[in-house]
Amino acid sequence: MKKLITPYASDFGKPNVIIKHFPDTESYVQIPGINSFKNQKITIYHRLYPEPDKRIFELLLLLSKVKEQTKNIELLVSYLPYARQDRENKVGEAVSANVLCGLLKNFGVKKLITYDCHFLPTPGNFIRAGLKIENRSAGRMLYAYAKKYFKKEKFVVVSPDEGASYFTKHAEGLSHSLKKTRKSATEIHKMEGHAEVKGKNVCILDDIIATGGTIMHATKHLKELGAKKIIVGTTHGVFAGENIADKISRSGCAKIFTTNSILQTNSVHVIELSDKY
Ligand code: R5P
């Protein structure tokens, strides 16, 4: 198996793909020594966030050359962007999750390996728009960090919505899933649901923190239910907006932790996924 590592995934090894930008910002991709990859199994390591449009196009340029050499292409991107628009809610809405998966399939990807993909209900193997996907979960690693954080103290694991409820399965003690209703893609209407958290420490686990609205509403709700210390862990720390991590801390979260699926500039604790690859 050969590895192709882009400069955006240099924490997985020495990059052997050249990506540059022309003065007008257009991308240039070169794979030196590509002829030695003939008929080999190739795993591509890349990141598609931030600047997803640009990173996706660079990936397509890369794939356009790799697929000339082999049909055996595996792609590892730990955070899959464009996954949240996964259905046509309003007439005429483009379903970006299908478009991206279809593109990858048509550009020769035999299997995509990703983590806690938003449109998939659980970890496991799936097919979307013809693309095979191995969906791994960082849930166990996030839970292990929470255990270390609380040392010998007990804590309750809470998922802020049904979609993330599979994160609670690692809990050795109590766990709950709250019920979230949205006003829009970026605004929460209501966070409800009973959770036995009175006087207890809580760890909220979710697949993504984007605007932080979900976590802040969940924190408020859990505080109202009497929670003691609240910490929050997420696989993908998107933190879309200014000072989102600070706002979450100010809302009452004692600790925010995430994986390196997205490289962080925020002051949050980062857990490496790399050793699992
Ligand atoms: C949604 O259903 C996901 O599991 C996350 O809860 C959501 O994407 C977080 O988004 P935000 O931080 O903008 O509330």
Side-chain angles (χ1 to χ4, degrees):
M1 191 265 278
K2 295 236 184 191
K3 292 182 179 182
L4 273 179
I5 303 172
T6 74
Y8 304 103
S10 58
D11 46 335
F12 297 109
K14 196 163 176 265
N16 50 359
V17 175
I18 296 170
I19 300 183
K20 294 195 285 200
H21 299 104
F22 291 106
D24 61 1
T25 77
E26 287 179 2
S27 299
Y28 163 97
V29 171
Q30 188 207 353
I31 310 163
I34 191 163
N35 295 338
S36 67
F37 294 165
K38 194 104 204 133
N39 298 326
Q40 302 272 334
K41 175 176 179 187
I42 297 192
T43 303
I44 299 171
Y45 295 75
H46 187 46
R47 275 194 177 81
L48 293 176
Y49 197 90
E51 293 195 278
D53 300 358
K54 216 164 171 56
R55 295 297 91 78
I56 289 167
F57 193 69
E58 287 160 358
L59 175 61
L60 297 182
L61 294 177
L62 171 62
L63 287 167
S64 73
K65 294 310 291 175
V66 180
K67 77 183 172 82
E68 289 172 358
Q69 301 296 322
T70 178
K71 287 191 170 17
N72 204 348
I73 307 172
E74 202 168 76
L75 168 68
L76 201 146
V77 286
S78 36
Y79 171 60
L80 190 73
Y82 283 111
R84 286 196 285 174
Q85 185 76 48
D86 60 354
R87 70 191 82 139
E88 187 174 344
N89 295 312
K90 295 183 197 145
V91 176
E93 276 181 348
V95 183
S96 57
N98 290 352
V99 172
L100 181 55
C101 291
L103 264 178
L104 296 178
K105 157 93 177 131
N106 292 336
F107 273 74
V109 175
K110 199 169 153 197
K111 182 165 92 171
L112 165 72
I113 302 172
T114 192
Y115 274 75
D116 294 308
C117 176
H118 184 74
F119 58 73
L120 296 175
T122 56
N125 294 303
F126 299 87
I127 294 183
R128 180 95 187 197
L131 178 71
K132 280 193 194 156
I133 306 175
E134 180 185 326
N135 187 35
R136 298 177 180 174
S137 180
R140 191 181 297 281
M141 298 169 89
L142 296 173
Y143 180 73
Y145 177 80
K147 254 177 97 170
K148 223 162 71 189
Y149 179 89
F150 282 122
K151 300 197 174 96
K152 291 203 162 26
E153 282 186 61
K154 286 190 177 153
F155 61 98
V156 182
V157 178
V158 174
S159 76
D161 54 39
E162 200 43 48
S165 61
Y166 72 87
F167 278 85
T168 63
K169 76 168 192 221
H170 303 288
E172 289 157 17
L174 276 178
S175 69
H176 294 281
S177 288
L178 300 178
K179 192 167 179 294
K180 172 174 87 179
T181 37
R182 282 195 174 278
K183 238 187 245 175
S184 70
T186 52
E187 277 178 291
I188 311 298
H189 170 58
K190 210 195 263 175
M191 186 67 71
E192 55 194 338
H194 180 68
E196 281 176 57
V197 294
K198 199 171 169 49
K200 294 185 167 74
N201 294 320
V202 175
C203 171
I204 308 174
L205 293 180
D206 202 359
D207 58 340
I208 301 175
I209 296 179
T211 65
T214 299
I215 295 305
M216 288 188 266
H217 274 80
T219 301
K220 183 167 175 278
H221 183 63
L222 292 165
K223 289 252 172 219
E224 282 164 6
L225 292 174
K228 197 162 88 177
K229 192 179 227 181
I230 300 178
I231 63 170
V232 55
T234 186
T235 307
H236 309 298
V238 174
F239 302 114
E242 263 182 47
N243 306 321
I244 299 296
D246 293 344
K247 285 180 193 159
I248 294 173
S249 302
R250 284 201 298 273
S251 79
C253 278
K255 188 87 188 172
I256 306 170
F257 53 105
T258 185
T259 76
N260 63 342
S261 70
I262 294 170
L263 295 176
Q264 289 301 321
T265 51
N266 299 284
S267 48
V268 294
H269 179 81
V270 175
I271 300 166
E272 298 281 318
L273 283 173
S274 333
D275 58 342
K276 292 275 165 185
Y277 290 152

